[in-house]
């Protein structure tokens, strides 16, 4: 069988073994385009393979920038018969089609062979016939006839290609109903082609070449991740396995333009899922702008900025949390949409495995935050504040909100700066979404007694610790060093992060707010000398804004444990971000 085909091919080639120029000069010469590839190396290899059977194999660069492999040239009346015969014998792909000189650019095969020039413009004479090389594509009737002989697999491939490019959303069944016809027309319209809803042989080849070319570039392959218990199809032409760092499996980009993909796998329950949701949003690679959707057993995050475009999905099944993260850059939305579709459709989290948190060596901070080598978004600075209303209004120091692109309360809640008074050092924040603080500050009705003990709950180490610490000291005086009535002087060893914290007496009543440590009158004060804005001054400054401070309801001394609980419940972390 093979020898007879080869002999036929050789005999046919004897009719076409003429100089390229002469062949092109013949009236009605055409080619059979059999394949096209996005890169020259692959196209050359395929042309070499075809040439072992078809000596008339040629290769041209196409108008699309791809490289086409063709057979010919043949007389136009012979080409159609040869095309059908070779398809019937399955010697060439079923979607091969007749091509013309106008479809081709420079010749790349045979290697080192003469470049086949484009046909010369025909001499215009009164009796000249139109150049068949400029003949139009198949008519609608011809396209329908060529479509009718397509195999079921070929018809499904066309639906899949249309779906890949976003033109078709129906089932892949090979049946060309109204949905498929409409998608074909939409594709034709996008290509500036008459939207007939029936693709010609040439159009089918263009569509399939583009689809197969992208599939080749993406390199989609099913990955069975035994360690994480995840099976998923990944674009291994763009990414490659890097390392494990629980709860993530890292796939790094193969080049600067490619995305990164992380698989998520960890043991846990609903609280762990919600904790992961909160932690992920502190990562620099997940911008704050974009849609968020968190349900009882899954969440999805979309973060976009001028330099990052990230999508995250995770779900809880039983006692396992699994998901994925695609980290990309703006400008790749069409590519990323296709990757995301494949990720979503192929993601199977049902494996028994889950990443062991102890399988990779990590420091304590990384383990605690589940950050796994990803860069954490850090605020410019963090200071202390305290809740003064049941809706979550917070008093803090003006230093905490100066020069900020945005301000947050307790890391996650965006806040509006309602008041900022640089002269006094007071600022008032209103949360953009309601909060329910555990405790609300109650203000003392009278000034504190000099020499009495005070307690300041504060984030001494800014955002490094998950909860405030307590610092103890003494109320030294109810005026400043120069007798200022709007200040209280304290003996207390504070750190910058403590500024904005409430100054409490033994009953848990607020005497004032701790101010940042700063030189007084150009003099550097001894360590342990700090100042507070007294409650009476805070009330005066807030009066124009209509805010009323809640009076303390308890005047009896609290036990150390009760005092600590009250102090911790009213204290908030205030962070300033670029």
């Amino acid at each position: 069988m093979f020898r007879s085909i080869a002999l036929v091919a050789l005999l046919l080639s004897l009719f076409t073994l003429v100089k390229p120029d002469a062949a092109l000069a013949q009236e009605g010469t055409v080619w059979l385009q059999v394949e096209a590839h996005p890169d020259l190396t692959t196209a050359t290899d395929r042309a070499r393979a075809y040439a072992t059977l078809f000596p008339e194999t040629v290769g041209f660069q196409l108008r699309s920038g791809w490289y086409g492999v063709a057979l010919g040239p043949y007389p136009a009346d012979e080409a159609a018969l040869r095309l059908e015969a070779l398809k019937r014998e399955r010697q060439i792909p079923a979607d091969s089609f007749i091509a013309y000189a106008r479809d081709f650019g420079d010749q790349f095969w045979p290697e080192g062979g003469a470049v086949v020039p484009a046909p010369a413009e025909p001499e215009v004479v009164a009796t000249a016939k139109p150049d068949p090389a400029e003949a139009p594509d198949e008519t609608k009737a011809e396209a329908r006839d060529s479509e009718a002989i397509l195999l079921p697999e070929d018809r499904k491939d066309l639906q899949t290609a249309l779906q890949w490019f976003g033109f078709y959303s129906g089932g892949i069944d090979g049946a060309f109903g109204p949905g498929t016809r409409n998608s074909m027309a939409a594709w034709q319209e996008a290509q500036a082609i008459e939207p007939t809803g029936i693709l010609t042989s040439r159009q089918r080849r263009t569509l399939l070449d583009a689809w197969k070319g992208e599939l080749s570039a993406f390199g989609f392959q099913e990955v069975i991740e035994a360690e994480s218990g995840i099976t998923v199809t990944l674009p291994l032409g763009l990414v490659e396995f890097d390392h494990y760092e629980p709860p993530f499996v890292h796939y790094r980009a193969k080049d600067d333009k490619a995305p990164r993909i992380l698989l998520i796998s960890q043991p846990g329950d609903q609280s762990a899922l919600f904790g992961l949701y909160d932690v992920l949003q502190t990562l620099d690679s997940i911008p704050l702008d974009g849609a968020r959707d968190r349900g009882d057993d899954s969440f999805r995050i979309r973060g976009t900025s001028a330099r990052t475009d990230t999508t995250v999905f995770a779900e809880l099944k039983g006692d396992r949390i699994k998901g994925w993260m695609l980290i990309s850059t703006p400008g790749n939305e069409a590519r990323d949409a296709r990757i995301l579709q494949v990720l979503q459709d192929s993601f199977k989290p049902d494996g028994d495995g889950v990443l062991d948190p102890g399988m990779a060596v990590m420091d304590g901070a990384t383990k605690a935050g589940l950050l796994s080598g990803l860069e954490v978004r850090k605020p410019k600075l963090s200071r202390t504040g305290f809740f003064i209303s049941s809706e979550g209004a917070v008093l803090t120091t003006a230093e905490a909100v100066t020069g900020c692109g945005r301000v947050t309360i307790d890391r996650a809640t965006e806040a509006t700066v309602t008041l900022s008074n640089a002269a006094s050092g007071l600022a008032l924040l209103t949360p953009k979404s309601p909060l329910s603080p555990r405790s609300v500050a109650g203000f003392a009705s009278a000034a504190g007694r000099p020499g009495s003990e005070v307690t300041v709950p504060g984030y001494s180490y800014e955002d490094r610790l998950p909860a405030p610490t307590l610092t103890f000291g003494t109320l030294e005086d109810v005026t400043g060093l120069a007798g200022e009535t709007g200040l209280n002087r304290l003996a207390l060893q504070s750190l910058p992060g403590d500024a904005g914290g409430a100054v409490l007496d033994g009953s848990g009543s607020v005497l004032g707010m701790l101010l940042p440590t700063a030189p007084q009158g150009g003099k550097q004060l001894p360590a342990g000398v700090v100042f507070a804005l007294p409650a009476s001054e805070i009330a005066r400054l807030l009066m124009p804004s209509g805010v009323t401070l809640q009076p303390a309801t308890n005047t009896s001394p609290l036990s150390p444990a009760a005092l600590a609980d009250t102090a911790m419940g009213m204290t908030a972390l205030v962070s300033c971000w670029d």
Side-chain angles (χ1 to χ4, degrees), residues 204-528:
R204 293 196 296 270
R205 186 66 189 182
T206 298
L207 171 61
L208 292 172
D209 282 347
W211 169 56
K212 292 176 181 178
E214 284 208 0
L215 286 180
S216 176
F218 282 103
F220 283 111
Q221 292 185 36
E222 184 180 79
V223 174
I224 301 175
E225 246 298 328
E227 293 286 353
S228 64
I230 293 173
T231 299
V232 66
T233 299
L234 298 178
L236 297 184
L238 303 178
V239 301
E240 59 187 356
F241 174 79
D242 190 6
H243 67 285
Y244 291 105
E245 232 174 345
F248 300 116
V249 185
H250 290 255
Y251 283 81
R252 64 170 172 251
K254 285 188 172 181
D255 58 53
D256 293 341
K257 296 181 180 179
R260 287 189 293 153
I261 294 178
L262 283 73
L263 303 181
I264 301 169
S265 175
Q266 70 172 76
D269 53 14
Q270 187 183 69
S271 63
L273 178 74
F274 290 178
L276 178 65
Y277 174 82
D278 293 335
V279 168
L280 287 177
Q281 297 187 79
T282 69
L283 300 183
D284 188 57
S285 55
I286 302 181
L288 295 169
D289 292 335
R292 267 70 171 161
D293 182 16
R294 192 187 75 179
D296 291 338
D297 55 7
S298 68
F299 65 77
R300 189 179 183 91
I301 301 171
R302 174 76 187 280
T304 59
S305 69
R307 60 187 182 87
T308 306
D309 190 344
T310 299
T311 303
V312 187
F313 171 78
E315 63 180 339
L316 171 66
K317 283 192 173 183
D319 58 355
R320 301 178 180 93
I321 298 170
K322 296 181 182 180
W324 47 261
M325 182 187 312
L326 177 71
I327 304 172
S328 186
T329 52
N332 294 296
E333 288 79 9
R335 179 201 69 185
D336 294 343
R338 290 164 194 157
I339 296 175
L340 287 170
Q341 188 65 53
V342 173
L343 279 176
Q344 292 168 171
D345 292 346
S346 66
F347 184 70
K348 298 174 184 176
D350 303 322
D352 292 335
V354 65
L355 287 188
D356 177 5
M359 70 182 296
V361 178
M362 294 179 287
D363 60 28
T366 301
K367 286 183 180 179
L370 300 177
L371 304 178
S372 302
L374 296 175
E375 184 179 351
V376 181
R377 186 185 298 109
K378 290 287 188 181
K380 290 170 60 177
L381 60 84
S382 292
R383 295 293 184 260
T384 304
F386 56 100
F387 293 106
I388 63 167
S389 77
S390 58
E391 292 77 26
V394 170
L395 280 184
T396 188
T397 171
E399 178 189 43
V401 301
T402 301
C404 307
R406 64 188 187 93
V407 176
T408 59
I409 300 171
D410 287 341
R411 296 179 175 86
T413 303
E414 300 270 350
T416 300
V417 180
T418 307
L419 169 69
S420 180
N421 188 299
S424 66
L426 180 73
L428 174 64
L429 305 180
T430 302
K432 292 184 178 179
S433 55
L435 293 174
S436 297
R438 191 154 51 91
S439 298
V440 173
F443 285 77
S445 58
R449 177 174 54 83
S452 62
E453 290 187 356
V454 293
T455 302
V456 176
Y459 284 89
S460 307
Y461 302 96
E462 302 191 33
D463 61 342
R464 296 179 184 88
L465 295 179
T469 60
L470 297 180
T471 303
F472 302 96
T474 304
L475 175 61
E476 292 291 300
D477 203 339
V478 293
T479 64
L481 290 173
E484 304 96 323
T485 57
L487 287 176
N488 286 348
R489 177 164 58 89
L490 309 178
L492 186 135
Q493 297 290 338
S494 67
L495 294 174
D498 291 314
V503 179
L504 307 178
D505 64 14
S507 69
S509 301
V510 177
L511 298 175
M513 183 191 76
L514 188 69
L515 294 171
T517 301
Q520 295 287 312
K523 298 182 182 296
Q524 185 67 43
L525 299 178

Side-chain angles (χ1 to χ4, degrees), residues 92-125:
I92 60 175
D95 53 359
S96 300
F97 60 92
I98 293 174
Y100 304 91
R102 60 185 173 86
D103 298 322
F104 300 141
D106 293 339
Q107 181 179 342
F108 67 85
W109 181 270
E111 293 176 310
V115 174
V116 179
E121 292 291 332
E123 183 179 355
V124 179
V125 294

